[in-house]
Amino acid sequence: MTICTAGRQCIFGTPDRLNSYGRIAEDGLQNIPAHFPTVRLDKYVVMPNHVHAILVLTDNDVSLPVVIGQYKAYVTKQIHSLHKRI
């Protein structure tokens, strides 16, 4: 999957130096298997304005759009929450 930021804005830092928003995006990816036990995160990279990830769905109990929707909602909520504290 590839997910782009709104307006393709570069908000995550660089792959070798993620900023706080990039770390939120990475944490969200790493936590997908905890929320969806039948989904395995294989490889991923957080780029300045998008995320690439290979997800392996090991069962038909969840669809990729549901996983992506939950991931995007989590990242958006966390970024907005962090932004309000600044």
Side-chain angles (χ1 to χ4, degrees):
M1 71 173 191
T2 299
I3 300 173
C4 296
T5 60
R8 297 184 187 235
Q9 295 178 9
C10 295
I11 62 169
F12 293 146
T14 62
D16 58 333
R17 189 173 175 154
L18 297 176
N19 60 25
S20 57
Y21 292 170
R23 286 189 297 277
I24 289 170
E26 182 176 55
D27 289 344
L29 286 170
Q30 292 175 344
N31 286 318
I32 287 173
H35 296 282
F36 298 98
T38 60
V39 178
R40 184 172 55 86
L41 177 63
D42 188 19
K43 302 284 184 186
Y44 69 89
V45 62
V46 178
M47 302 298 287
N49 67 351
H50 63 283
V51 173
H52 295 290
I54 298 173
L55 300 174
V56 179
L57 283 65
T58 60
D59 199 349
N60 291 332
D61 68 335
V62 66
S63 69
L64 186 58
V66 169
V67 175
I68 291 172
Q70 290 291 323
Y71 170 74
K72 289 172 66 174
Y74 168 80
V75 172
T76 300
K77 182 177 179 181
Q78 294 301 312
I79 287 175
H80 285 165
S81 174
L82 182 65
H83 184 65
K84 288 179 183 177
R85 286 187 248 147
I86 297 175

Coordinates of all heavy atoms in Angstrom, one line a residue:
M1 N 0.8 -1.2 0.0 CA 0.0 0.0 0.0 C 0.9 1.2 0.0 O 2.0 1.2 0.5 CB -0.9 0.0 1.2 CG -0.3 0.3 2.5 SD -1.5 0.5 3.8 CE -0.4 1.0 5.1
T2 N 0.4 2.3 -0.6 CA 1.0 3.6 -0.5 C 0.0 4.6 -0.1 O -1.1 4.6 -0.7 CB 1.6 4.0 -1.9 OG1 2.6 3.0 -2.2 CG2 2.3 5.4 -1.8
I3 N 0.3 5.4 0.9 CA -0.6 6.4 1.4 C 0.1 7.7 1.4 O 1.2 7.9 2.0 CB -1.1 6.1 2.8 CG1 -1.8 4.7 2.9 CG2 -2.0 7.2 3.4 CD1 -2.2 4.3 4.3
C4 N -0.5 8.7 0.7 CA 0.1 10.0 0.6 C -0.5 11.0 1.7 O -1.7 10.8 2.1 CB -0.1 10.6 -0.8 SG 0.7 9.7 -2.1
T5 N 0.3 12.0 2.1 CA -0.3 13.0 3.0 C -1.2 13.9 2.3 O -1.2 13.9 1.0 CB 0.9 13.8 3.6 OG1 1.6 14.5 2.5 CG2 1.8 13.0 4.4
A6 N -2.0 14.6 3.0 CA -3.0 15.6 2.4 C -2.2 16.6 1.6 O -1.2 17.2 2.1 CB -3.8 16.2 3.5
G7 N -2.5 16.8 0.4 CA -1.8 17.8 -0.4 C -0.4 17.4 -0.7 O 0.4 18.3 -1.2
R8 N 0.0 16.2 -0.4 CA 1.3 15.7 -0.6 C 2.4 16.6 0.1 O 3.5 16.7 -0.4 CB 1.7 15.5 -2.1 CG 0.8 14.5 -2.7 CD 1.1 14.2 -4.2 NE 0.1 13.3 -4.7 CZ 0.4 12.2 -5.3 NH1 1.7 11.8 -5.4 NH2 -0.5 11.4 -5.8
Q9 N 2.0 17.1 1.2 CA 2.9 18.0 2.0 C 3.9 17.1 2.6 O 3.7 16.0 3.1 CB 2.1 18.7 3.1 CG 1.1 19.7 2.6 CD 0.4 20.3 3.7 OE1 0.7 20.2 4.9 NE2 -0.7 21.1 3.4
C10 N 5.2 17.6 2.6 CA 6.3 16.9 3.3 C 6.3 17.2 4.8 O 6.8 18.2 5.2 CB 7.6 17.3 2.6 SG 7.7 16.8 0.9
I11 N 5.7 16.2 5.5 CA 5.5 16.5 7.0 C 6.2 15.4 7.9 O 6.2 15.6 9.1 CB 4.0 16.6 7.3 CG1 3.3 15.3 7.1 CG2 3.4 17.8 6.6 CD1 1.9 15.3 7.6
F12 N 6.7 14.4 7.3 CA 7.2 13.3 8.1 C 8.7 13.3 8.3 O 9.2 12.4 9.0 CB 6.9 11.9 7.4 CG 5.4 11.6 7.4 CD1 4.9 10.9 6.3 CD2 4.5 12.0 8.4 CE1 3.5 10.6 6.3 CE2 3.2 11.7 8.4 CZ 2.7 11.0 7.3
G13 N 9.4 14.2 7.8 CA 10.9 14.2 7.9 C 11.4 13.4 6.8 O 10.8 13.3 5.7
T14 N 12.6 12.7 7.0 CA 13.2 11.9 6.0 C 13.2 10.5 6.5 O 13.2 10.2 7.7 CB 14.6 12.4 5.6 OG1 15.4 12.3 6.8 CG2 14.6 13.8 5.1
P15 N 13.4 9.5 5.6 CA 13.4 8.1 6.0 C 14.5 7.8 7.1 O 14.3 7.0 8.0 CB 13.7 7.3 4.8 CG 13.2 8.2 3.7 CD 13.5 9.6 4.1
D16 N 15.6 8.5 7.0 CA 16.7 8.3 8.0 C 16.6 9.2 9.2 O 17.3 9.0 10.2 CB 18.1 8.4 7.4 CG 18.3 9.7 6.7 OD1 17.3 10.4 6.3 OD2 19.5 10.1 6.6
R17 N 15.7 10.2 9.2 CA 15.5 11.1 10.3 C 14.0 11.6 10.4 O 13.7 12.7 9.9 CB 16.4 12.3 10.1 CG 16.4 13.1 11.4 CD 17.5 14.2 11.3 NE 17.3 15.1 12.4 CZ 18.3 15.8 12.9 NH1 19.5 15.7 12.4 NH2 18.1 16.5 14.0
L18 N 13.2 10.7 10.9 CA 11.8 11.0 11.1 C 11.6 12.1 12.1 O 12.2 12.0 13.2 CB 11.0 9.8 11.4 CG 11.0 8.6 10.4 CD1 10.2 7.4 11.0 CD2 10.4 9.1 9.1
N19 N 10.7 13.0 11.9 CA 10.3 14.0 12.9 C 9.1 13.4 13.7 O 8.8 12.2 13.6 CB 9.9 15.3 12.3 CG 8.8 15.2 11.3 OD1 7.9 14.3 11.4 ND2 8.7 16.2 10.4
S20 N 8.5 14.2 14.6 CA 7.5 13.7 15.5 C 6.3 13.1 14.7 O 5.7 12.1 15.0 CB 7.0 14.7 16.5 OG 6.6 15.9 15.8
Y21 N 5.9 13.8 13.6 CA 4.8 13.3 12.7 C 5.2 12.0 12.1 O 4.4 11.0 11.9 CB 4.5 14.3 11.7 CG 3.8 15.6 12.2 CD1 3.6 16.6 11.3 CD2 3.4 15.7 13.5 CE1 3.0 17.8 11.8 CE2 2.8 16.9 14.0 CZ 2.6 17.9 13.1 OH 2.0 19.1 13.5
G22 N 6.5 11.9 11.6 CA 6.9 10.6 11.0 C 7.0 9.5 12.0 O 6.6 8.3 11.6
R23 N 7.3 9.8 13.2 CA 7.3 8.7 14.2 C 5.9 8.2 14.5 O 5.7 7.0 14.8 CB 8.0 9.2 15.5 CG 9.6 9.2 15.3 CD 10.3 9.5 16.6 NE 10.0 10.8 17.2 CZ 10.5 11.9 16.9 NH1 11.5 12.0 16.0 NH2 10.2 13.0 17.5
I24 N 4.9 9.2 14.5 CA 3.5 8.8 14.6 C 3.1 7.8 13.5 O 2.5 6.8 13.7 CB 2.6 10.0 14.7 CG1 2.8 10.7 16.0 CG2 1.1 9.6 14.5 CD1 2.1 12.1 16.1
A25 N 3.5 8.2 12.3 CA 3.2 7.4 11.1 C 3.8 6.0 11.2 O 3.2 5.0 11.0 CB 3.6 8.0 9.8
E26 N 5.1 5.9 11.7 CA 5.8 4.7 11.9 C 5.1 3.8 13.0 O 4.9 2.6 12.9 CB 7.2 4.9 12.2 CG 8.0 3.6 12.3 CD 9.5 3.9 12.5 OE1 9.9 4.7 13.4 OE2 10.3 3.4 11.7
D27 N 4.9 4.5 14.1 CA 4.2 3.8 15.2 C 2.9 3.2 14.8 O 2.5 2.0 15.2 CB 4.0 4.7 16.4 CG 5.3 5.1 17.1 OD1 6.3 4.4 16.9 OD2 5.3 6.1 17.9
G28 N 2.1 3.9 14.1 CA 0.8 3.4 13.6 C 1.0 2.2 12.7 O 0.2 1.2 12.9
L29 N 2.0 2.2 11.9 CA 2.3 1.0 11.1 C 2.7 -0.2 11.9 O 2.1 -1.3 11.8 CB 3.4 1.2 10.1 CG 3.1 2.1 8.9 CD1 4.3 2.5 8.1 CD2 2.1 1.4 7.9
Q30 N 3.6 0.0 12.9 CA 4.1 -1.1 13.7 C 3.0 -1.7 14.6 O 3.0 -2.8 15.0 CB 5.2 -0.6 14.6 CG 6.5 -0.3 13.7 CD 7.6 0.3 14.5 OE1 7.4 0.8 15.7 NE2 8.8 0.3 14.0
N31 N 1.9 -0.9 14.9 CA 0.8 -1.3 15.7 C -0.3 -2.0 15.0 O -1.2 -2.5 15.6 CB 0.3 -0.2 16.6 CG 1.3 0.2 17.7 OD1 1.8 -0.7 18.3 ND2 1.5 1.5 17.9
I32 N -0.3 -2.0 13.7 CA -1.3 -2.6 12.9 C -1.6 -4.1 13.3 O -2.7 -4.5 13.6 CB -1.1 -2.5 11.4 CG1 -1.4 -1.1 10.9 CG2 -2.0 -3.5 10.6 CD1 -1.0 -0.8 9.5
P33 N -0.5 -4.9 13.5 CA -0.8 -6.3 13.9 C -1.4 -6.5 15.3 O -2.1 -7.4 15.5 CB 0.6 -7.0 13.8 CG 1.4 -6.1 12.9 CD 0.9 -4.7 13.1
A34 N -1.2 -5.5 16.2 CA -1.8 -5.6 17.5 C -3.3 -5.4 17.4 O -4.0 -5.9 18.2 CB -1.1 -4.5 18.4
H35 N -3.7 -4.5 16.5 CA -5.1 -4.2 16.3 C -5.8 -5.2 15.3 O -7.0 -5.4 15.4 CB -5.3 -2.8 15.8 CG -4.8 -1.8 16.8 ND1 -5.6 -1.4 17.9 CD2 -3.7 -1.1 16.9 CE1 -4.9 -0.6 18.6 NE2 -3.8 -0.3 18.0
F36 N -5.0 -5.8 14.4 CA -5.6 -6.7 13.5 C -4.6 -7.9 13.5 O -3.7 -8.0 12.7 CB -5.6 -6.1 12.1 CG -6.5 -4.9 11.9 CD1 -6.0 -3.6 12.0 CD2 -7.8 -5.0 11.8 CE1 -6.8 -2.5 11.9 CE2 -8.7 -3.9 11.6 CZ -8.1 -2.6 11.7
P37 N -4.9 -8.9 14.4 CA -4.0 -10.1 14.5 C -3.8 -10.9 13.2 O -2.8 -11.6 13.2 CB -4.7 -10.9 15.6 CG -5.6 -9.9 16.3 CD -6.0 -8.9 15.3
T38 N -4.7 -10.8 12.3 CA -4.5 -11.6 11.1 C -3.8 -10.8 10.0 O -3.8 -11.2 8.8 CB -5.9 -12.1 10.5 OG1 -6.7 -11.0 10.3 CG2 -6.5 -13.1 11.6
V39 N -3.3 -9.6 10.3 CA -2.5 -8.8 9.4 C -1.1 -8.7 9.9 O -0.8 -8.4 11.0 CB -3.1 -7.4 9.2 CG1 -2.3 -6.5 8.3 CG2 -4.5 -7.5 8.8
R40 N -0.1 -9.0 8.9 CA 1.3 -9.0 9.3 C 1.9 -7.9 8.5 O 1.7 -7.7 7.3 CB 1.9 -10.3 8.9 CG 3.4 -10.4 9.3 CD 4.0 -11.8 9.1 NE 3.8 -12.3 7.7 CZ 4.6 -12.1 6.7 NH1 5.7 -11.3 6.9 NH2 4.4 -12.6 5.5
L41 N 2.7 -7.0 9.2 CA 3.5 -6.0 8.6 C 4.8 -6.6 8.1 O 5.6 -7.0 8.9 CB 3.7 -4.8 9.6 CG 4.5 -3.7 9.1 CD1 3.9 -2.9 7.9 CD2 4.8 -2.7 10.2
D42 N 5.0 -6.6 6.8 CA 6.2 -7.1 6.3 C 7.3 -6.1 6.2 O 8.2 -6.0 7.1 CB 6.0 -7.7 4.9 CG 7.1 -8.5 4.3 OD1 8.0 -8.9 5.1 OD2 7.2 -8.7 3.1
K43 N 7.3 -5.2 5.3 CA 8.3 -4.2 5.1 C 7.6 -2.8 5.0 O 6.5 -2.8 4.5 CB 9.2 -4.4 3.9 CG 9.9 -5.7 3.8 CD 11.1 -5.6 4.7 CE 11.9 -6.9 4.6 NZ 13.0 -7.1 5.5
Y44 N 8.3 -1.8 5.4 CA 7.7 -0.4 5.3 C 8.8 0.6 5.2 O 9.9 0.4 5.7 CB 6.7 -0.1 6.4 CG 7.4 0.1 7.7 CD1 7.8 1.3 8.1 CD2 7.6 -1.0 8.6 CE1 8.4 1.5 9.4 CE2 8.2 -0.8 9.8 CZ 8.6 0.4 10.2 OH 9.2 0.6 11.4
V45 N 8.4 1.8 4.7 CA 9.3 3.0 4.8 C 8.4 4.2 4.9 O 7.4 4.3 4.2 CB 10.3 3.0 3.6 CG1 9.5 3.2 2.3 CG2 11.3 4.2 3.8
V46 N 8.8 5.1 5.7 CA 8.1 6.4 5.9 C 8.9 7.4 5.1 O 10.0 7.7 5.5 CB 7.9 6.8 7.3 CG1 7.2 8.1 7.4 CG2 7.1 5.7 8.1
M47 N 8.3 8.0 4.1 CA 9.0 9.0 3.2 C 8.5 10.4 3.7 O 7.6 10.5 4.5 CB 8.6 8.7 1.8 CG 9.0 7.3 1.3 SD 10.8 7.0 1.4 CE 11.4 8.0 0.0
P48 N 9.1 11.4 3.1 CA 8.6 12.8 3.6 C 7.1 13.1 3.4 O 6.6 13.7 4.3 CB 9.5 13.7 2.7 CG 10.7 12.9 2.4 CD 10.2 11.5 2.2
N49 N 6.5 12.6 2.3 CA 5.1 12.9 2.1 C 4.2 11.7 1.9 O 3.1 11.8 1.4 CB 4.9 13.9 1.0 CG 5.3 13.4 -0.3 OD1 5.9 12.3 -0.5 ND2 5.0 14.2 -1.4
H50 N 4.7 10.5 2.1 CA 3.9 9.3 1.9 C 4.6 8.1 2.7 O 5.7 8.2 3.2 CB 3.8 8.9 0.4 CG 5.0 8.6 -0.3 ND1 5.9 9.6 -0.7 CD2 5.6 7.4 -0.7 CE1 7.0 9.0 -1.3 NE2 6.8 7.7 -1.3
V51 N 3.8 7.0 2.8 CA 4.2 5.8 3.4 C 4.0 4.6 2.5 O 3.0 4.5 1.8 CB 3.3 5.6 4.7 CG1 3.6 4.2 5.3 CG2 3.5 6.7 5.7
H52 N 5.0 3.8 2.4 CA 4.9 2.5 1.7 C 4.9 1.4 2.7 O 5.7 1.4 3.6 CB 6.1 2.3 0.7 CG 6.3 3.3 -0.4 ND1 5.4 3.3 -1.4 CD2 7.2 4.2 -0.6 CE1 5.8 4.3 -2.3 NE2 6.9 4.8 -1.8
A53 N 4.1 0.4 2.5 CA 4.0 -0.7 3.4 C 3.5 -1.9 2.7 O 2.6 -1.8 1.8 CB 3.2 -0.4 4.6
I54 N 4.1 -3.1 3.0 CA 3.6 -4.3 2.5 C 2.9 -5.0 3.7 O 3.6 -5.3 4.7 CB 4.8 -5.2 2.0 CG1 5.5 -4.5 0.8 CG2 4.2 -6.6 1.6 CD1 6.7 -5.3 0.3
L55 N 1.6 -5.2 3.6 CA 0.8 -5.9 4.6 C 0.4 -7.2 4.0 O 0.0 -7.3 2.9 CB -0.4 -5.0 4.9 CG -0.1 -3.6 5.5 CD1 -1.5 -2.9 5.6 CD2 0.6 -3.7 6.8
V56 N 0.5 -8.2 4.9 CA 0.1 -9.6 4.5 C -1.2 -9.9 5.3 O -1.1 -10.0 6.5 CB 1.2 -10.6 4.7 CG1 0.7 -12.0 4.3 CG2 2.5 -10.2 4.0
L57 N -2.3 -10.1 4.6 CA -3.5 -10.5 5.2 C -3.6 -12.0 5.2 O -3.7 -12.6 4.2 CB -4.7 -9.9 4.5 CG -5.0 -8.4 4.7 CD1 -3.9 -7.5 4.2 CD2 -6.3 -8.0 4.1
T58 N -3.5 -12.6 6.4 CA -3.4 -14.0 6.5 C -4.8 -14.7 6.6 O -4.9 -15.9 6.7 CB -2.6 -14.4 7.7 OG1 -3.2 -13.9 8.9 CG2 -1.2 -13.9 7.6
D59 N -5.9 -13.9 6.7 CA -7.2 -14.5 6.8 C -8.2 -13.5 6.1 O -7.8 -12.3 5.9 CB -7.6 -14.7 8.2 CG -8.8 -15.7 8.4 OD1 -9.4 -16.0 7.4 OD2 -9.0 -16.1 9.6
N60 N -9.4 -13.9 5.8 CA -10.3 -13.0 5.2 C -11.2 -12.3 6.2 O -12.3 -11.8 5.8 CB -11.2 -13.8 4.2 CG -10.5 -14.3 3.0 OD1 -9.5 -13.7 2.6 ND2 -10.9 -15.4 2.5
D61 N -10.8 -12.3 7.5 CA -11.7 -11.6 8.5 C -11.6 -10.1 8.5 O -12.5 -9.5 9.1 CB -11.4 -12.2 9.9 CG -10.0 -11.7 10.4 OD1 -9.2 -11.5 9.5 OD2 -9.9 -11.7 11.6
V62 N -10.7 -9.5 7.8 CA -10.6 -8.1 7.7 C -10.1 -7.7 6.3 O -9.4 -8.5 5.6 CB -9.6 -7.5 8.7 CG1 -8.2 -8.0 8.5 CG2 -9.6 -6.0 8.8
S63 N -10.6 -6.6 5.8 CA -10.3 -6.2 4.4 C -9.2 -5.1 4.5 O -9.1 -4.3 5.5 CB -11.5 -5.7 3.7 OG -11.9 -4.4 4.2
L64 N -8.4 -5.0 3.4 CA -7.4 -3.9 3.4 C -7.9 -2.5 3.5 O -7.4 -1.7 4.3 CB -6.6 -4.1 2.1 CG -5.4 -3.2 1.9 CD1 -4.4 -3.4 3.0 CD2 -4.7 -3.4 0.6
P65 N -9.1 -2.2 2.9 CA -9.6 -0.8 3.1 C -9.9 -0.5 4.6 O -9.7 0.6 5.1 CB -10.9 -0.8 2.3 CG -10.6 -1.8 1.2 CD -9.8 -2.9 1.9
V66 N -10.4 -1.5 5.4 CA -10.6 -1.3 6.8 C -9.3 -1.0 7.5 O -9.2 -0.1 8.3 CB -11.4 -2.5 7.4 CG1 -11.4 -2.4 8.9 CG2 -12.8 -2.6 6.8
V67 N -8.3 -1.8 7.2 CA -7.0 -1.6 7.9 C -6.4 -0.2 7.5 O -6.0 0.5 8.4 CB -6.0 -2.7 7.5 CG1 -4.6 -2.4 8.0 CG2 -6.5 -4.0 7.9
I68 N -6.5 0.2 6.3 CA -6.0 1.5 5.9 C -6.8 2.6 6.5 O -6.2 3.6 7.0 CB -6.0 1.6 4.3 CG1 -4.9 0.7 3.7 CG2 -5.7 3.0 3.9 CD1 -5.0 0.5 2.2
G69 N -8.1 2.5 6.5 CA -8.9 3.5 7.1 C -8.6 3.7 8.6 O -8.5 4.8 9.1
Q70 N -8.4 2.6 9.3 CA -8.1 2.7 10.8 C -6.7 3.3 10.9 O -6.5 4.1 11.8 CB -8.1 1.3 11.4 CG -9.5 0.8 11.5 CD -10.3 1.5 12.6 OE1 -9.9 2.0 13.6 NE2 -11.6 1.7 12.3
Y71 N -5.7 2.9 10.1 CA -4.4 3.5 10.2 C -4.4 5.0 9.9 O -3.9 5.8 10.7 CB -3.5 2.8 9.2 CG -2.1 3.5 9.0 CD1 -1.2 3.4 10.0 CD2 -1.9 4.3 7.9 CE1 0.0 4.0 9.9 CE2 -0.6 4.9 7.8 CZ 0.3 4.8 8.8 OH 1.5 5.5 8.7
K72 N -5.1 5.4 8.9 CA -5.2 6.9 8.5 C -5.9 7.6 9.6 O -5.4 8.7 10.0 CB -5.9 7.0 7.2 CG -5.1 6.6 6.0 CD -5.8 6.6 4.7 CE -6.2 8.0 4.3 NZ -6.8 8.0 2.9
A73 N -6.9 7.1 10.2 CA -7.7 7.8 11.3 C -6.7 7.9 12.5 O -6.7 9.0 13.1 CB -8.9 7.0 11.6
Y74 N -6.0 6.9 12.8 CA -5.1 6.9 14.0 C -4.0 8.0 13.8 O -3.8 8.9 14.6 CB -4.4 5.6 14.2 CG -3.3 5.7 15.2 CD1 -3.5 5.7 16.6 CD2 -2.0 5.7 14.7 CE1 -2.5 5.7 17.5 CE2 -0.9 5.8 15.6 CZ -1.2 5.8 17.0 OH -0.1 5.9 17.9
V75 N -3.4 8.0 12.6 CA -2.3 8.9 12.4 C -2.8 10.4 12.4 O -2.2 11.3 13.0 CB -1.6 8.6 11.0 CG1 -0.6 9.7 10.6 CG2 -0.8 7.3 11.1
T76 N -3.9 10.6 11.7 CA -4.5 11.9 11.6 C -4.9 12.4 13.0 O -4.5 13.6 13.4 CB -5.8 11.9 10.8 OG1 -5.4 11.5 9.4 CG2 -6.4 13.3 10.7
K77 N -5.5 11.6 13.8 CA -5.9 12.0 15.2 C -4.7 12.3 16.0 O -4.7 13.3 16.8 CB -6.7 10.9 15.8 CG -7.2 11.2 17.2 CD -8.1 10.1 17.8 CE -8.5 10.4 19.2 NZ -9.3 9.4 19.8
Q78 N -3.6 11.5 16.0 CA -2.4 11.7 16.8 C -1.7 13.0 16.3 O -1.2 13.7 17.2 CB -1.5 10.5 16.7 CG -2.1 9.2 17.3 CD -2.4 9.4 18.8 OE1 -1.6 9.9 19.5 NE2 -3.6 9.0 19.2
I79 N -1.6 13.2 15.1 CA -0.9 14.4 14.6 C -1.7 15.7 15.0 O -1.2 16.6 15.4 CB -0.7 14.4 13.0 CG1 0.4 13.4 12.8 CG2 -0.4 15.8 12.5 CD1 0.7 13.1 11.3
H80 N -3.0 15.6 14.8 CA -3.8 16.8 15.3 C -3.7 17.0 16.8 O -3.7 18.2 17.2 CB -5.3 16.6 14.9 CG -5.5 16.8 13.4 ND1 -6.7 16.4 12.8 CD2 -4.8 17.3 12.4 CE1 -6.6 16.7 11.5 NE2 -5.5 17.2 11.2
S81 N -3.7 15.9 17.5 CA -3.5 16.1 19.0 C -2.2 16.7 19.3 O -2.1 17.5 20.2 CB -3.7 14.7 19.6 OG -3.4 14.7 21.0
L82 N -1.1 16.2 18.7 CA 0.2 16.8 18.9 C 0.3 18.2 18.5 O 0.8 19.1 19.2 CB 1.2 16.0 18.1 CG 2.7 16.4 18.3 CD1 3.1 16.1 19.8 CD2 3.6 15.6 17.4
H83 N -0.3 18.6 17.4 CA -0.3 19.9 16.9 C -1.1 20.9 17.9 O -0.6 22.0 18.1 CB -1.0 20.0 15.5 CG -0.9 21.4 14.9 ND1 0.3 21.9 14.5 CD2 -1.9 22.2 14.6 CE1 0.0 23.1 14.0 NE2 -1.3 23.3 14.0
K84 N -2.1 20.4 18.5 CA -2.9 21.3 19.4 C -2.1 21.6 20.7 O -2.3 22.6 21.3 CB -4.2 20.6 19.8 CG -5.2 20.6 18.6 CD -6.5 19.9 19.0 CE -7.4 19.9 17.8 NZ -8.6 19.2 18.1
R85 N -1.1 20.7 21.0 CA -0.3 20.9 22.3 C 0.8 21.8 22.0 O 1.4 22.3 23.0 CB 0.2 19.5 22.7 CG -0.8 18.6 23.4 CD -0.2 17.4 23.9 NE -0.6 16.3 23.1 CZ 0.1 15.2 22.9 NH1 1.3 15.1 23.3 NH2 -0.4 14.2 22.1
I86 N 1.1 22.1 20.8 CA 2.3 23.0 20.5 C 1.9 24.5 20.6 O 0.8 24.9 20.4 CB 2.8 22.7 19.1 CG1 3.4 21.3 19.0 CG2 3.9 23.7 18.7 CD1 3.9 20.9 17.7

